[in-house]
């Protein structure tokens, strides 16, 4: 941070302000700031995205959750200039049930779910999917008709597969995407020992909501109102 902020007289104050943000305020502030930056010149936004990437790599590794933060930063700075409305893709589900996802839809939804399983439901990011991660992943994908053996065989996607599946899920209908987000949120709460979302799990889910242009489910939205 000090290297990137060379020349800023208040660099330490900025860092301290960010570090002292309430955990439930970090993501709302991130959204507010990126909305303000969306109208900045393209070169300035590109520089910010590159410097954010370098900052994340400073310790020699980028965790799954950190990658979600960076992807969301890039997404918001790339797309905020365009009116963000849900794509009116043809519906492929009937009676508002999630069981009619196509086989290809399930593959891509499964890849995103497997990626999140390295963040949820454990308290720290994992290099591989843990037993509880597979349980969470299986319970989510069962909702969409994926059999246990296939769900249990899912692996965390590499960077290229992640980006491809993210792009494909972003193209799902305005009804399908919220159903996937709702399943992630509910199964996270179902596996929580407290029956509540942790701050890091809530952040991961809210970042995915942004990437998929989904409204926050009530249980996720409520989390950010609980600031004492």
């Amino acid at each position: 941070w000090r290297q990137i902020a060379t020349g800023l007289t208040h660099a330490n104050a900025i860092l301290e302000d960010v570090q002292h943000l309430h955990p439930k305020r970090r993501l709302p502030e991130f959204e507010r700031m990126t909305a303000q930056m969306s109208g900045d010149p393209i070169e300035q936004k590109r520089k910010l995205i590159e410097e954010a990437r370098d900052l994340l790599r400073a310790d020699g590794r980028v965790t799954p959750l950190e990658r979600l933060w960076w992807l969301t930063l890039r997404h918001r700075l790339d797309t905020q200039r365009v009116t963000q409305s849900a794509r009116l893709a043809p519906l492929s589900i009937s009676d508002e049930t999630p069981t009619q996802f196509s086989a290809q839809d399930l593959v891509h939804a499964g890849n995103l779910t497997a990626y999140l399983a390295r963040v949820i439901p454990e308290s720290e990011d994992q290099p591989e999917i843990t037993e509880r991660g597979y349980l969470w992943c299986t319970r989510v994908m069962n909702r969409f008709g994926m059999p246990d053996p296939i769900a249990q065989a899912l692996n965390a996607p590499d960077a290229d597969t992640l980006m491809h599946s993210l792009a494909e899920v972003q193209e799902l209908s305005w009804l399908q995407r919220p159903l996937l987000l709702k399943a992630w949120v509910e199964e996270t709460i179902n596996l929580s020992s407290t029956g509540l979302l942790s701050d890091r799990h809530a952040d991961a889910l809210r970042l995915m909501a942004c990437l998929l242009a989904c409204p926050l489910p009530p249980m996720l939205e409520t989390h950010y109102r609980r600031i004492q």
Side-chain angles (χ1 to χ4, degrees), residues 34-48:
T34 51
Q36 289 181 355
M37 296 172 183
S38 63
D40 290 348
I42 292 176
E43 285 303 319
Q44 188 171 329
K45 292 190 291 185
R46 182 179 293 120
K47 182 180 179 182
L48 173 60

Side-chain angles (χ1 to χ4, degrees), residues 207-223:
L207 290 168
M208 287 303 303
C210 177
L211 287 168
L212 299 183
C214 290
L216 299 184
M219 288 182 288
L220 180 55
E221 183 179 14
T222 300
H223 175 85

Side-chain angles (χ1 to χ4, degrees), residues 4 46-62 66-67 69-71 73-74:
I4 292 174
R46 182 179 293 120
K47 182 180 179 182
L48 173 60
I49 292 169
E50 291 173 353
E51 289 182 341
R53 178 196 60 201
D54 294 342
L55 188 61
L56 289 178
R57 291 175 172 175
D59 62 356
R61 63 189 292 265
V62 179
E66 287 172 343
R67 186 180 295 274
W69 278 96
W70 184 79
L71 288 174
L73 171 67
R74 191 177 71 170

